[in-house]
Amino acid sequence: MSTHPAYDELCALALRIHRFEHLQALAHWDHATFMPPGGQEARAAALGEVAALLHRLRTGPELGPLLDAAAGEPLDPVQRANLRELRRAWNLSTALPEGLVQATSLATSRCEHAWRAQRPANDWAGFAVNLREVVRLVREAAQRLGDHLGKEPYEALLDRYEPGLSTARLDELFGRLRGWLPGLIQAAVARQEGEALVSPQGPFPVDAQQALSEALMRRLGFDFGRGRLDRSAHPFTGGVPEDVRLTTRFDERTLLPGLMGTIHETGHARYEQGRPVAWLGLPVSEARSMALHESQSLAFEMQLGRSRPFAEVLGPMLSAAFGPQPAFEPAALYRALTQVRPGKIRVDADEVTYPAHILLRTTLERELIAGALSVDDLPARWDAGMAELLGLSTVGDFKDGPLQDIHWSVGAFGYFPCYTLGAMYAAQWFTAAREARPRLEEEIAAGELEGLFQWLAEQIWQQGSRWETDELAIRVSGRALSDQPLRDHLERRYLGER
Amino acid sequence: MSTHPAYDELCALALRIHRFEHLQALAHWDHATFMPPGGQEARAAALGEVAALLHRLRTGPELGPLLDAAAGEPLDPVQRANLRELRRAWNLSTALPEGLVQATSLATSRCEHAWRAQRPANDWAGFAVNLREVVRLVREAAQRLGDHLGKEPYEALLDRYEPGLSTARLDELFGRLRGWLPGLIQAAVARQEGEALVSPQGPFPVDAQQALSEALMRRLGFDFGRGRLDRSAHPFTGGVPEDVRLTTRFDERTLLPGLMGTIHETGHARYEQGRPVAWLGLPVSEARSMALHESQSLAFEMQLGRSRPFAEVLGPMLSAAFGPQPAFEPAALYRALTQVRPGKIRVDADEVTYPAHILLRTTLERELIAGALSVDDLPARWDAGMAELLGLSTVGDFKDGPLQDIHWSVGAFGYFPCYTLGAMYAAQWFTAAREARPRLEEEIAAGELEGLFQWLAEQIWQQGSRWETDELAIRVSGRALSDQPLRDHLERRYLGER
């Protein structure tokens, strides 16, 4: 006889949910990779059915009483953390009435589907019609979630992606970032003026790029016994921890974007593959947050992948795959991978200007949710922000302006900050890793990456959601999140010796 | 307000079931094609979860009353047929207690899993231990199903695959087959003695075989907008009608087996792609039976694919793919595709000897279910049957004897007859098609296949489960199933002018 029957029942339900999420993840992955176009409607219906089932399982009337009963049962610390996460998920699922969830699902499906054509057509006016409805519904959801969780509306949205992050904390971190970033961008651009840039000369056949990506993933410790690499229009990491499905995209005219995309997704994938096996299927095994997830992809792509020592590993691999050329010399490769150039498109941005894109979006989406900014006024504010932060005019170019991202169309307000919080965490982790492994740079240059990965695995991957985020950060790096390590990293890499 | 609310509710539930079956089919396909080995356990758990959900949906206590209520509602003929199939499925699902279903699932999983190693190891004694338990459980299921359906036990098992087929009818058809088949095999072998056989000369790179298979599938009308071809260890047709997933296997040392496998699976696939769109998701849209399904794969592979006129289409395609060689001359190709050679392995058997394998298995499995034959006595009876039917000794060679098939290990007793009933149906359909299209042979030789496919689509694919099997056969061919068209076909092809 178990001493915690209510807790056990909650875990059994969590495992059922996990198994249906497995099927859901597979169906999403297949949709993006191999599904023929004619399967669209049937797939959407199947995904809708499993989403409805999952919603019912996550909000069943038995859950509230079970959570209360489990709280009084004798649980060990991991079980206690699991219960905390079970309650958190339940709070988020039950805060919204089903009618609002369905209306939001419909409105975002419509908005995103139309966006796919409106973006290339530069059709802001058409998009705005749908976005207004999405914003209206998300504002209502934010209000209700906030009331339920005792938070401000935007803070409640943040909580879906970054549990426990307050807007006060976000203001503090992003306020400081806004203070030092513009000067750093200017200085980095000035520093690189006249720097000789040697670009890789293609074409690079996509099959060879795929083979190289797989070889690189092996170097980065990806376990192909528990995952795959395939191709899709938009790279992502999906699947389940036991079978992680990465995708990337290759363009035979250019080499580095596909390759760095693979390294980025491999960071996400190793976090997933490294989650604590003993707790798989329970919330306590899950990746801690979206910023933490981005901290792993950016640790791989930015901290490791674009570093000077890693160019010593990457250069020879490129020469072996495509024959030697000047651009594959480590020094030249490093310069190409760390080129700073302000541009309109977030996903194409370099490491230094990327946070400017996030600052702009975060400001604007907060004002949209607060009702201080209307959808109609978005483009003008966008133009002003891009001019101020990056010195670029985007007037009239909606497709490379507020139409460029999918996030708002699907209602993912509160997600954007996670990218830059992830960059801050990644810098903070690497600062700690260098303290733990004083020879880290030499190890990387020699291709000895196992020590770094083992440190990340022990410190972060295997912790799952065992600790709340601040506590995890303190355990890993001795402090809660700060913008200082990112600033130090960028100043060292972009203003120091190149 | 609907005039048939109970019927509508049944249909809504059928659609829900159909959507979960979509996810189930995708997970099975992925398991056989792309899943890395580490995903095994999580996938099995996810599939178990959806199987349990489907069982609950198919046996809910509301179904009996709804079926009774719908029977009294005003329904059109298609709805009436749909209701008939809904009741049939419900009858089969509810006849067995859940404990027996679970015990059978466990025993067959264990038996099949062990079989994968026992077959190559020729380990009959090890296999027999597990098979005894499977037979015990299937006999109990057959007894219960029989009581529930008012049929003999083996007849009740048949009903799962071939609705409405009585053992008396099976005895009549297979009794006649047993009368004429041995003489025909002897005569065909004698007829081919001294016939010059030219074999294709490899190697045939598998990528080129895949490209050729896809080209052939296009010629055979497969819609790649609603399906794919991939590779797996055991070829199958899966997925859903909107997105049919074919698999085949290629061996670079040999060309024709992979190619004919593709043609065979394309027959299954076109039946699935051709099912009535208006009723998709409802039982009335489903393929009529397993024998009917095999009738389509065998119509494609045997009636069409190995015919003399089709060699005029296939030969030039092979020459285009791999360069001309004597074996690709249509006359030589036809001889290679119609070579008769008794052998131990069912799946490698030619069109003439294949039914002998089925006669043996049908006799033995009926005796096992009736309790007239014990698992321990199976090998001796197998040897005797192979000696009698095909003049081959299989003594001690269990792996090419009763260990060769997966069917019994997974509890699929009652399935084997469908292969040869399918061959009979296929011959009967082609007899009718030739009457409807007197120039059929010339059309095929000229590569004009559309008329044939349109006839099959109208007569069979688009009928779904609109008619019970005998009525469908009479509508298509003027008579219920007979062994005579198959006999005529084989005598014409193998004893006539070559």
Side-chain angles (χ1 to χ4, degrees):
Chain A
M1 185 64 190
S2 168
T3 59
H4 38 63
Y7 175 80
D8 290 345
E9 202 174 329
L10 288 166
C11 290
L13 180 67
L15 287 172
R16 282 196 69 201
I17 289 174
H18 173 69
R19 290 173 191 142
F20 285 114
E21 286 172 342
H22 174 126
L23 299 173
Q24 188 181 40
L26 178 66
H28 278 296
W29 167 83
D30 182 79
H31 183 272
T33 50
F34 292 125
M35 192 189 80
Q40 178 65 39
E41 207 174 317
R43 181 62 51 85
L47 282 169
E49 197 66 54
V50 77
L53 172 71
L54 283 167
H55 183 75
R56 279 195 300 278
L57 291 174
R58 288 175 184 135
T59 58
E62 74 282 15
L63 284 170
L66 280 173
L67 287 163
D68 291 341
E73 292 177 341
L75 301 178
D76 70 26
V78 171
Q79 292 170 328
R80 192 65 57 195
N82 192 40
L83 184 61
R84 178 194 73 218
E85 295 303 312
L86 283 163
R87 183 174 284 278
R88 194 178 82 77
W90 178 74
N91 263 329
L92 287 171
S93 295
T94 51
L96 302 180
E98 193 154 340
L100 180 60
V101 172
Q102 283 172 347
T104 307
S105 171
L106 270 176
T108 54
S109 287
R110 186 179 304 123
C111 189
E112 188 237 327
H113 189 262
W115 167 79
R116 290 176 185 270
Q118 287 159 343
R119 187 192 174 195
N122 203 36
D123 177 11
W124 170 259
F127 181 71
V129 174
N130 293 326
L131 184 62
R132 269 194 289 272
E133 178 65 4
V134 171
V135 169
R136 189 183 70 76
L137 291 164
V138 174
R139 286 185 63 191
E140 186 184 335
Q143 190 68 53
R144 284 174 180 272
L145 273 171
D147 290 348
H148 194 79
L149 304 173
K151 291 173 181 286
E152 294 177 35
Y154 185 74
E155 200 167 66
L157 296 179
L158 279 179
D159 209 61
R160 298 202 277 196
Y161 308 111
E162 203 50 34
L165 178 70
S166 67
T167 44
R169 190 74 193 291
L170 181 65
D171 283 340
E172 183 197 327
L173 289 162
F174 276 20
R176 283 215 285 260
L177 174 65
R178 189 177 278 273
W180 55 257
L181 186 68
L184 199 151
I185 293 173
Q186 283 194 316
V189 170
R191 184 85 166 70
Q192 293 187 3
E193 255 169 40
E195 192 174 83
L197 196 71
V198 191
S199 293
Q201 297 302 307
F204 305 99
V206 293
D207 283 346
Q209 288 196 55
Q210 167 113 15
L212 174 64
S213 276
E214 290 180 359
L216 190 54
M217 287 166 69
R218 282 194 187 87
R219 281 302 277 273
L220 296 174
F222 183 83
D223 178 359
F224 276 95
R226 296 187 296 135
R228 297 178 48 87
L229 172 68
D230 295 284
R231 301 177 202 170
S232 70
H234 301 279
F236 68 95
T237 297
V240 291
E242 304 91 339
D243 178 5
V244 176
R245 304 284 172 110
L246 253 75
T247 72
T248 188
R249 60 182 158 198
F250 300 114
D251 176 344
E252 71 164 20
R253 292 165 301 180
T254 177
L255 176 63
L256 299 180
L259 207 61
M260 298 318 286
T262 298
I263 297 177
H264 181 97
E265 298 302 329
T266 303
H268 284 305
R270 289 220 61 186
Y271 194 3
E272 287 295 305
Q273 288 191 331
R275 282 163 47 183
V277 172
W279 314 329
L280 279 186
L282 301 177
V284 71
S285 85
E286 280 172 29
R288 178 59 207 154
S289 72
M290 292 321 301
L292 262 287
H293 233 307
E294 292 299 332
S295 84
Q296 297 311 295
S297 56
L298 295 172
F300 272 60
E301 183 194 345
M302 300 302 179
Q303 296 292 326
L304 174 65
R306 295 181 195 263
S307 72
R308 183 64 186 82
F310 193 69
E312 300 289 338
V313 176
L314 202 51
M317 291 183 77
L318 302 187
S319 295
F322 299 106
Q325 50 173 279
F328 298 161
E329 289 299 320
L333 186 59
Y334 174 63
R335 280 195 299 274
L337 289 172
T338 54
Q339 195 197 5
V340 179
R341 188 182 284 176
K344 295 178 183 176
I345 306 292
R346 176 183 61 84
V347 297
D348 294 337
D350 59 79
E351 186 182 17
V352 181
T353 58
Y354 195 102
H357 293 271
I358 297 305
L359 286 174
L360 175 63
R361 284 156 179 77
T362 302
T363 301
L364 297 182
E365 72 176 16
R366 284 182 69 172
E367 292 184 12
L368 281 169
I369 296 303
L373 173 64
S374 75
V375 167
D376 290 340
D377 294 335
L378 241 183
R381 287 293 309 280
W382 187 284
D383 296 336
M386 286 300 283
E388 182 199 334
L389 285 159
L390 291 173
L392 297 170
S393 167
T394 52
V395 177
D397 185 5
F398 307 109
K399 69 179 189 305
D400 299 327
L403 278 180
Q404 71 181 267
D405 297 308
I406 197 173
H407 300 60
W408 291 340
S409 76
V410 298
F413 292 80
Y415 193 103
F416 279 125
C418 300
Y419 293 114
T420 288
L421 295 171
M424 290 179 182
Y425 275 120
Q428 192 159 323
W429 304 152
F430 258 69
T431 304
R434 268 188 293 266
E435 277 166 30
R437 306 188 67 82
R439 290 190 59 258
L440 185 63
E441 312 280 316
E442 292 95 313
E443 288 173 3
I444 293 173
E448 296 161 9
L449 307 173
E450 210 29 66
L452 170 65
F453 296 146
Q454 201 177 325
W455 186 87
L456 286 170
E458 286 167 8
Q459 298 291 321
I460 298 170
W461 307 340
Q462 291 166 13
Q463 301 305 319
S465 285
R466 170 80 177 80
W467 316 105
E468 295 197 70
T469 315
D470 278 353
E471 180 166 1
L472 177 66
I474 292 166
R475 285 175 168 266
V476 177
S477 60
R479 67 203 282 192
L481 183 62
S482 158
D483 62 303
Q484 193 61 44
L486 178 63
R487 181 179 186 177
D488 293 342
H489 159 71
L490 294 176
E491 288 183 350
R492 195 165 51 240
R493 179 174 283 179
Y494 293 93
L495 305 185
E497 192 191 333
R498 285 176 60 80
Chain B
M1 185 64 190
S2 168
T3 58
H4 38 64
Y7 175 81
D8 290 344
E9 203 174 328
L10 288 166
C11 289
L13 180 65
L15 287 172
R16 281 195 70 201
I17 289 173
H18 173 68
R19 290 174 191 141
F20 285 114
E21 286 171 342
H22 174 126
L23 299 173
Q24 187 180 40
L26 178 67
H28 277 296
W29 168 85
D30 180 79
H31 183 272
T33 51
F34 291 126
M35 193 189 81
Q40 177 65 39
E41 207 174 317
R43 180 63 51 85
L47 283 169
E49 198 65 54
V50 78
L53 173 71
L54 283 167
H55 183 74
R56 280 195 298 279
L57 292 174
R58 288 175 184 136
T59 58
E62 75 282 16
L63 285 171
L66 280 174
L67 287 163
D68 291 341
E73 292 177 342
L75 300 178
D76 70 26
V78 172
Q79 293 170 326
R80 192 64 58 194
N82 192 40
L83 184 61
R84 179 194 72 220
E85 296 302 312
L86 283 162
R87 183 174 284 278
R88 194 178 82 77
W90 178 75
N91 263 328
L92 286 171
S93 296
T94 51
L96 301 181
E98 193 152 341
L100 180 60
V101 172
Q102 282 172 347
T104 307
S105 170
L106 270 176
T108 54
S109 288
R110 186 180 304 125
C111 189
E112 190 238 325
H113 189 263
W115 167 78
R116 292 177 185 269
Q118 286 159 343
R119 188 192 173 195
N122 202 38
D123 177 13
W124 170 258
F127 181 70
V129 175
N130 293 325
L131 184 61
R132 269 193 289 272
E133 178 65 4
V134 171
V135 169
R136 189 183 72 75
L137 291 164
V138 174
R139 286 183 66 191
E140 184 183 338
Q143 190 68 53
R144 285 176 180 272
L145 273 171
D147 289 349
H148 193 80
L149 304 173
K151 291 174 182 285
E152 294 176 36
Y154 184 74
E155 200 168 68
L157 296 179
L158 280 178
D159 209 61
R160 297 203 276 198
Y161 308 111
E162 203 50 34
L165 178 70
S166 67
T167 44
R169 190 73 193 293
L170 181 65
D171 283 339
E172 184 198 325
L173 289 162
F174 276 20
R176 283 214 286 260
L177 173 66
R178 189 176 279 272
W180 54 257
L181 185 68
L184 198 151
I185 293 173
Q186 283 194 316
V189 169
R191 184 85 166 70
Q192 293 187 3
E193 258 169 38
E195 192 174 82
L197 196 71
V198 191
S199 294
Q201 299 300 310
F204 306 99
V206 293
D207 283 345
Q209 288 197 56
Q210 167 112 16
L212 174 63
S213 276
E214 289 179 0
L216 191 54
M217 286 167 68
R218 283 195 185 87
R219 282 301 276 273
L220 296 174
F222 183 83
D223 178 359
F224 278 94
R226 296 187 295 138
R228 298 177 47 86
L229 172 68
D230 295 283
R231 301 176 202 170
S232 70
H234 301 279
F236 68 94
T237 297
V240 291
E242 304 92 338
D243 178 5
V244 176
R245 304 285 171 108
L246 253 76
T247 72
T248 190
R249 61 181 158 197
F250 300 113
D251 175 344
E252 72 164 19
R253 292 165 302 180
T254 178
L255 176 62
L256 299 180
L259 206 62
M260 299 317 287
T262 298
I263 297 177
H264 181 99
E265 298 302 328
T266 304
H268 284 305
R270 288 221 60 186
Y271 193 2
E272 287 296 303
Q273 287 190 332
R275 283 163 46 181
V277 173
W279 314 330
L280 279 186
L282 301 177
V284 71
S285 84
E286 281 172 28
R288 178 59 206 154
S289 72
M290 293 321 300
L292 263 286
H293 233 306
E294 293 299 332
S295 85
Q296 297 311 295
S297 56
L298 295 171
F300 273 60
E301 182 193 346
M302 300 301 180
Q303 295 292 323
L304 173 66
R306 295 180 195 262
S307 72
R308 183 63 185 81
F310 193 68
E312 301 289 338
V313 176
L314 202 51
M317 291 183 76
L318 301 186
S319 296
F322 298 105
Q325 51 173 277
F328 298 161
E329 289 300 318
L333 186 59
Y334 174 62
R335 280 195 298 275
L337 290 172
T338 54
Q339 195 197 3
V340 179
R341 188 182 284 175
K344 295 179 184 178
I345 305 291
R346 176 182 61 85
V347 296
D348 293 337
D350 59 79
E351 185 182 16
V352 182
T353 58
Y354 193 103
H357 294 270
I358 297 304
L359 286 174
L360 175 62
R361 284 157 179 76
T362 303
T363 301
L364 298 183
E365 73 177 15
R366 284 182 70 173
E367 293 183 11
L368 282 169
I369 296 303
L373 173 64
S374 75
V375 168
D376 290 339
D377 294 335
L378 241 183
R381 287 293 309 282
W382 187 283
D383 296 334
M386 287 299 282
E388 181 199 335
L389 284 160
L390 290 173
L392 297 170
S393 167
T394 52
V395 177
D397 185 6
F398 306 110
K399 69 178 189 307
D400 299 328
L403 278 179
Q404 72 181 265
D405 296 307
I406 197 174
H407 300 61
W408 291 340
S409 76
V410 298
F413 291 81
Y415 193 103
F416 279 125
C418 299
Y419 293 113
T420 288
L421 296 171
M424 291 179 181
Y425 275 120
Q428 191 158 323
W429 304 152
F430 257 68
T431 304
R434 268 188 293 266
E435 278 168 28
R437 306 188 67 82
R439 289 189 60 259
L440 184 62
E441 312 279 317
E442 293 95 314
E443 288 173 5
I444 293 172
E448 296 161 10
L449 306 173
E450 211 29 67
L452 170 66
F453 296 145
Q454 200 176 327
W455 185 86
L456 285 170
E458 286 168 7
Q459 298 291 321
I460 298 171
W461 307 339
Q462 291 166 13
Q463 301 304 319
S465 286
R466 172 81 177 79
W467 315 105
E468 296 197 70
T469 314
D470 278 353
E471 182 167 359
L472 177 66
I474 292 166
R475 286 176 168 265
V476 177
S477 60
R479 67 201 284 191
L481 182 62
S482 158
D483 61 303
Q484 194 61 44
L486 178 63
R487 181 179 185 177
D488 292 344
H489 158 74
L490 294 176
E491 289 183 350
R492 197 166 49 242
R493 179 173 285 179
Y494 294 92
L495 305 184
E497 191 192 333
R498 284 177 59 81

